[in-house]
């Protein structure tokens, strides 16, 4: 909560300040004001995860893979991610890092 409170103070002074970071090889770019509202950072099975909410998304060049028109439910994805721990615990060098 301290980070969210500090972010809200910064946003009061400069509302358009950007929030940019990498998670793995993926770049995330948004507004600091979106942190905790539509950009959520969490830990899942000892690893970082980011959940991003929005009403729509746009691909470069306007191309949208057909499977994204009918995405999985959040619960289905969350269950799959939570169950990844079983797979990760079978890999010694990954399970050691999570302890």
């Amino acid at each position: 909560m301290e980070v969210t409170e500090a972010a809200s103070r910064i946003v009061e002074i400069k509302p358009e300040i950007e929030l940019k970071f990498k998670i793995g090889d993926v770049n995330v770019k948004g507004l600091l004001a979106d942190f905790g509202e539509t950009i959520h950072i969490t830990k899942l099975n000892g690893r970082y995860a980011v959940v991003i909410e929005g009403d729509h998304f746009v691909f470069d060049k306007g191309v949208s893979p057909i499977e994204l028109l009918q995405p999985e439910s959040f619960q289905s994805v969350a269950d799959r991610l939570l169950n990844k721990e079983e797979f990760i615990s079978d890999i010694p060098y990954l399970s050691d890092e999570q302890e």
Side-chain angles (χ1 to χ4, degrees), residues 25-69:
D25 292 328
V26 177
N27 291 307
V28 178
K29 179 180 170 185
L31 295 176
L32 184 58
D34 294 333
F35 177 71
E37 294 294 322
T38 59
I39 299 173
H40 312 277
I41 300 173
T42 186
K43 290 220 47 184
L44 177 67
N45 296 330
R47 301 177 74 203
Y48 289 100
V50 176
V51 177
I52 303 172
E53 300 176 65
D55 295 325
H56 61 280
F57 52 93
V58 178
F59 287 90
D60 289 344
K61 301 181 184 173
V63 178
S64 173
I66 190 75
E67 62 270 14
L68 294 179
L69 297 176

